Amino acid sequence: MNRARTRGAIALAGAAAIATIVGLASSADAATTLGASAAEKGRYFGTAVAAYKLSDATYSGILDREFNMITPENEMKWDATEPTQGQFSYSSADQIVSHATAHGQRMRGHALAWHSQQPSWAQNMSGTALRNAMVNHITNVATHYKGKIYAWDVVNEAFADGGGGGRRDSNLQRTGNDWIEVAFRTARAADPGAKLCYNDYNTDGVNAKSNAVYAMVQDFKSRGVPIDCVGFQSHINSGSPLPSDYQANLQRFANLGVDVQITELDIAGSGTAQANSYASVVKACLAVSRCTGITVWGIRDSDSWRSGDTPLLFDNNGNKKPAYTAALDAINGSPSSPPPTTPNTSPSASASPSNPGNPGGSGCTATVSVNQWQGGFVATVRVTAGSSALNAWSVTLALPSGATVTNSWNVARSGNTWSNVSYNGHVNAGQYTEFGFQANGTAGTLTPSCSGS
Ligand code: 9MR
């Protein structure tokens, strides 16, 4: 594991050296890829990835050019990671994580506890045996990927469709109504640095199902059950059209004190109509300060679970569709909204206020916010351009002795110098981008200083 991590770090450092040159050469115009444009707004743009497609050059070419967040489409699910009880199988998911590490992409983990895609041994279990198996599963998987996951879908699709507003019946639900909070507490204990999300579909507008999820999040927040984010899958088609209150729904969840994320976006259709819907979703996310990013559920239409709907941003040959251009233009045309906030807000973790900022060498300031828990922390560093655009930046930030970095994102590090990667060197005047890292130890007071060109 240590060796793998070292290899990844070397690959990342190499990529970053090249990236800095690219960054310096770029023009002062808006960024030209989804990931880079989203990064300029302090957001990510991700996609679902299938491990077996990574050897397809068209597929990985688009992936690495456009996307800076990856969700394994199936490889981290229960049936994939624990096909036999107590025997864990991580090779396909590890392949995706290695790819992400080598290309400076972050990971969303999907999904720890779900009624679907369970291995047959779990499908046949009930009661205490199933509850214990779920806890053991979450502990093992979240521990295996500790420090490598930006956000976990801890529980997926636990609410019923239709007007009832209740839980979905499932073997997990029948172990007791508290199975969801047990799943979240277990995930927090295993990987305190990951944001923990509840994820569902048909919750994209205000309706009976999203109201039920809303009530659960409110209850969890009031009782200190660790939850950091809510995922809105956003599988849009004629049967599930884009709700007119999409943004308002995201905002009401954000107002509960959780991040919101678009987690599995696909929109059936073609041409202008599809392009307009993509633009609406992107604008809605960027208008909600706690909407931290958007993930589309596949790259080319042919990669989609609903390929007949042609619901994605690239056609079967990997060409950009009108929907791609609309999504990119919507990101670049959106005003910068206030910060996505700091990571976890678990009761044991405290978010320290941002440092006042540092005038730095030329044209940028850096501020840091820290989420410390017993034995570790996540730091989020914001780089804000001054009155002219940046094409490259670096931040000097020393860690106290005893603190060791386990994982970082959106950045290349050499000792105490943290530099932009290819997609986030360009920052428009007055705008910002963010990078982060997770470390063992105690952060203390971190004082970043920024220099840009
Ligand atoms: O896209 C996934 C597809 O390859 C699988 O066959 C399917 C099996 O359930 O799961 C699909 O992904 C689902 C995701 O994990 C949860 N939300 C709905 C997605 C589409 O079905």
Side-chain angles (χ1 to χ4, degrees):
M1 186 151 170
N2 276 339
R3 241 186 306 145
R5 199 177 287 148
T6 309
R7 268 204 309 274
I10 291 166
L12 194 59
I18 299 162
T20 305
I21 296 163
V22 173
L24 283 166
S26 71
S27 76
D29 298 325
T32 54
T33 65
L34 298 168
S37 299
E40 284 195 349
K41 302 290 154 94
R43 311 304 212 283
Y44 63 81
F45 209 105
T47 183
V49 160
Y52 74 91
K53 292 178 184 165
L54 287 172
S55 55
D56 171 341
T58 305
Y59 183 86
S60 8
I62 300 171
L63 170 63
D64 299 335
R65 186 186 73 218
E66 298 287 344
F67 298 101
N68 52 14
M69 184 72 76
I70 291 178
T71 306
E73 188 169 358
N74 290 295
E75 291 79 351
M76 286 188 180
K77 292 171 179 175
W78 198 349
D79 59 350
T81 49
E82 196 182 359
T84 304
Q85 188 171 15
Q87 290 180 22
F88 292 85
S89 151
Y90 293 119
S91 55
S92 297
D94 284 354
Q95 202 188 327
I96 299 178
V97 175
S98 299
H99 183 100
T101 304
H103 295 87
Q105 293 144 328
R106 282 188 286 170
M107 294 291 307
R108 292 193 83 265
H110 174 81
L112 292 170
W114 188 23
H115 69 274
S116 183
Q117 283 184 273
Q118 294 181 0
S120 51
W121 62 265
Q123 289 173 30
N124 295 326
M125 283 180 124
S126 62
T128 305
L130 177 61
R131 176 65 69 89
N132 291 342
M134 177 192 83
V135 167
N136 186 55
H137 178 75
I138 293 172
T139 300
N140 272 276
V141 177
T143 301
H144 181 78
Y145 290 110
K146 181 177 178 177
K148 297 182 175 174
I149 303 291
Y150 161 71
W152 265 113
D153 290 331
V154 178
V155 170
N156 196 37
E157 303 175 2
F159 282 82
D161 291 308
R167 296 279 182 88
R168 171 195 297 277
D169 178 52
S170 72
N171 58 348
L172 289 167
Q173 181 61 33
R174 289 191 293 272
T175 67
N177 211 47
D178 63 345
W179 74 277
I180 299 182
E181 62 194 81
V182 167
F184 275 85
R185 292 189 202 279
T186 305
R188 177 70 95 223
D191 185 357
K195 290 187 188 233
L196 304 182
C197 302
Y198 176 79
N199 189 51
D200 215 328
Y201 66 91
N202 283 352
T203 49
D204 309 314
V206 177
N207 58 38
K209 189 173 176 182
S210 66
N211 286 346
V213 176
Y214 182 90
M216 178 188 74
V217 174
Q218 201 168 33
D219 170 52
F220 280 12
K221 281 294 189 185
S222 73
R223 291 189 295 114
V225 177
I227 184 167
D228 308 304
C229 38
V230 176
F232 298 84
Q233 294 184 8
S234 306
H235 294 294
I236 307 296
N237 57 26
S238 54
S240 282
L242 188 62
S244 57
D245 55 4
Y246 189 84
Q247 182 182 323
N249 190 50
L250 296 178
Q251 187 66 60
R252 72 169 176 149
F253 276 87
N255 292 347
L256 290 176
V258 287
D259 290 347
V260 294
Q261 300 168 0
I262 314 303
T263 52
E264 303 181 14
L265 179 63
D266 48 22
I267 304 177
S270 62
T272 307
Q274 183 182 49
N276 289 343
S277 296
Y278 265 101
S280 299
V281 170
V282 167
K283 284 179 191 162
C285 177
L286 270 80
V288 175
S289 63
R290 290 198 75 149
C291 184
T292 58
I294 298 169
T295 296
V296 288
W297 205 240
I299 296 179
R300 300 161 299 198
D301 284 334
S302 49
D303 298 315
S304 171
W305 68 300
R306 286 176 166 170
S307 54
D309 285 351
T310 62
L312 294 173
L313 299 175
F314 295 87
D315 71 16
N316 295 353
N317 297 317
N319 299 312
K320 296 169 181 175
K321 293 167 58 181
Y324 170 92
T325 309
L328 182 66
D329 289 351
I331 304 170
N332 287 328
S334 290
S336 238
S337 57
T341 48
T342 51
N344 308 334
T345 50
S346 72
S348 62
S350 63
S352 75
S354 241
N355 282 347
N358 186 310
S362 79
C364 59
T365 53
T367 56
V368 62
S369 58
V370 172
N371 179 33
Q372 178 79 53
W373 61 88
Q374 187 69 38
F377 63 94
V378 164
T380 303
V381 182
R382 172 171 300 187
V383 174
T384 305
S387 53
S388 25
L390 300 171
N391 284 317
W393 47 261
S394 67
V395 171
T396 307
L397 177 61
L399 297 186
S401 66
T404 49
V405 175
T406 56
N407 183 34
S408 61
W409 48 92
N410 295 341
V411 74
R413 177 186 178 217
S414 172
N416 293 336
T417 303
W418 309 73
S419 307
N420 66 276
V421 287
S422 60
Y423 55 79
N424 64 4
H426 181 81
V427 184
N428 280 335
Q431 299 203 336
Y432 62 82
T433 189
E434 289 182 335
F435 70 89
F437 60 90
Q438 182 169 340
N440 295 321
T442 304
T445 304
L446 299 173
T447 312
S449 116
C450 188
S451 83
S453 56

